[in-house]
Amino acid sequence: MKQIFTIAIATSILLLASCAHKVTRIDPTETPDLSGNWNYTDSRITAEEMINQSLTGKWLSDHLQQKGKKPVVIVGFVTNKSHEHIEAETFMNDLEKSYITTEKVGLVQSGKKREEMRSEKADQQTNSTISTLKKFGLEKGADYILQGSINSIVDPYKRKKSVTYQIDLVLTNIETNEVVWIGDKKISKNIKN
Amino acid sequence: MKKILFTILVVSASFALKAQELAQDQNPNYKVSMDKYTAAQATLQTTMNTTVQNTYTAYDWRIAKSKRKAENRSYRRERALSNQYYYNNNYGYRNNYNQKYYRHRCR
């Protein structure tokens, strides 16, 4: 009787444990494809390709030859014209990081972060000591602006569909409007529901 | 006469100064564009360093199926609620069974 009771309790514990919400830590580089939507693996592949294309592009050597110093880049906006919500920041940050770590390209802050920086500078004008306050008008001007777009083509048929994402990044000379580099990455998937 | 000469000198000097400000091959009308974009700078830079979401809806088999199911469910519910014979005809007796539907309709 005692044994049956113990077994019953053990079984119920096991059953309850199996129904519980479960979270497992995984390596970000091995993100599995669950729904077929854009995921971290796609972002990582895009970042790797863009870093490789950008840092080996002719624009870099041309700029160094003409100006004698490394180019300064500012990040503009990326338009997501695909059928999914995609945040470009995930792969753009990797690209920006590569610019800094390789020390081949200089990077200046843009957007809301720049606004915050300027607001901090404004605050310093009245609150910081004279020896530590940072002056206005000494920011580094960017030579190039990095802009991009994400497009997708979906071809569904019954339970199957093929999706192709195209990510394009364009680097333009701010002074001359000349496009100096275009990087692209295409990712295709076959999804069966 | 002296005054006229002085005016001409001042005007030509100012033109010369302005010409000096221009970089080589720079368009002399650059200020028109500069003023236009300086005025709109704050609004034009709001999307900087962000992803502008301009997505479209693609056909998805699963989504289409669930949407169809939801529409059918909603249609059946609407039909049931509007069916006065089955839901409100209690022949003068209070119908506890359908009371929640009745209350829902009156809300």
Side-chain angles (χ1 to χ4, degrees), chain A residues 22-34:
Chain A
K22 199 179 170 188
V23 178
T24 321
R25 295 266 175 270
I26 56 162
D27 185 1
T29 54
E30 290 164 11
T31 314
D33 287 311
L34 298 174

Side-chain angles (χ1 to χ4, degrees), chain A residues 78 80 86 88 114 152 161, chain B residues 45 51-56 60:
Chain A
V78 176
N80 174 21
I86 298 171
R114 186 169 66 179
S152 72
K161 69 175 173 181
Chain B
Q45 285 186 347
T51 312
V52 180
Q53 301 293 337
N54 193 10
T55 54
Y56 68 95
D60 187 276

Side-chain angles (χ1 to χ4, degrees), chain A residues 9-121:
Chain A
I9 286 174
T11 319
S12 59
I13 287 169
L14 273 171
L15 279 169
L16 278 170
S18 66
C19 296
H21 180 68
K22 199 179 170 188
V23 178
T24 321
R25 295 266 175 270
I26 56 162
D27 185 1
T29 54
E30 290 164 11
T31 314
D33 287 311
L34 298 174
S35 64
N37 288 352
W38 178 271
N39 65 6
Y40 179 72
T41 308
D42 301 310
S43 173
R44 187 173 49 80
I45 293 167
T46 309
E48 281 169 6
E49 185 72 31
M50 290 300 178
I51 290 166
N52 183 39
Q53 285 182 28
S54 173
L55 293 175
T56 54
K58 204 172 169 289
W59 72 278
L60 203 56
S61 54
D62 284 351
H63 181 92
L64 281 167
Q65 212 172 11
Q66 282 170 17
K67 309 272 176 179
K69 56 182 178 181
K70 65 179 183 183
V72 178
V73 171
I74 191 165
V75 180
F77 67 82
V78 176
T79 316
N80 174 21
K81 290 186 274 182
S82 75
H83 66 291
E84 279 173 43
H85 181 94
I86 298 171
E87 274 303 328
E89 211 177 349
T90 51
F91 60 85
M92 292 298 275
N93 280 353
D94 289 344
L95 184 63
E96 287 175 43
K97 193 181 159 191
S98 78
Y99 284 166
I100 292 164
T101 50
T102 58
E103 292 181 2
K104 285 182 176 176
V105 181
L107 202 68
V108 288
Q109 203 60 271
S110 63
K112 288 208 170 120
K113 286 174 186 162
R114 186 169 66 179
E115 291 294 310
E116 193 184 12
M117 216 174 57
R118 285 174 185 168
S119 122
E120 169 56 26
K121 218 180 282 172

Side-chain angles (χ1 to χ4, degrees), chain B residues 11-107:
Chain B
V11 169
S12 57
S14 69
F15 269 109
L17 269 174
K18 204 175 179 186
Q20 272 176 9
E21 277 173 22
L22 290 172
Q24 196 189 355
D25 208 25
Q26 191 179 8
N27 192 322
N29 297 324
Y30 77 94
K31 226 176 167 310
V32 178
S33 176
M34 197 176 98
D35 292 345
K36 181 186 167 188
Y37 286 97
T38 308
Q41 188 194 357
T43 48
L44 289 172
Q45 285 186 347
T46 50
T47 54
M48 219 172 182
N49 211 343
T50 58
T51 312
V52 180
Q53 301 293 337
N54 193 10
T55 54
Y56 68 95
T57 313
Y59 178 82
D60 187 276
W61 178 82
R62 279 177 308 160
I63 293 167
K65 194 183 172 186
S66 63
K67 209 173 171 183
R68 258 196 328 267
K69 270 187 171 179
E71 270 172 12
N72 284 343
R73 206 178 297 129
S74 156
Y75 169 72
R76 281 199 301 271
R77 187 174 153 75
E78 282 295 317
R79 195 178 58 182
L81 288 171
S82 62
N83 197 334
Q84 300 294 310
Y85 181 79
Y86 291 109
Y87 284 88
N88 282 322
N89 192 356
N90 301 321
Y91 308 102
Y93 293 101
R94 188 177 168 179
N95 188 347
N96 288 328
Y97 181 74
N98 293 317
Q99 207 168 21
K100 69 174 181 180
Y101 293 106
Y102 183 69
R103 261 191 279 141
H104 180 76
R105 281 185 71 221
C106 292
R107 217 180 275 163

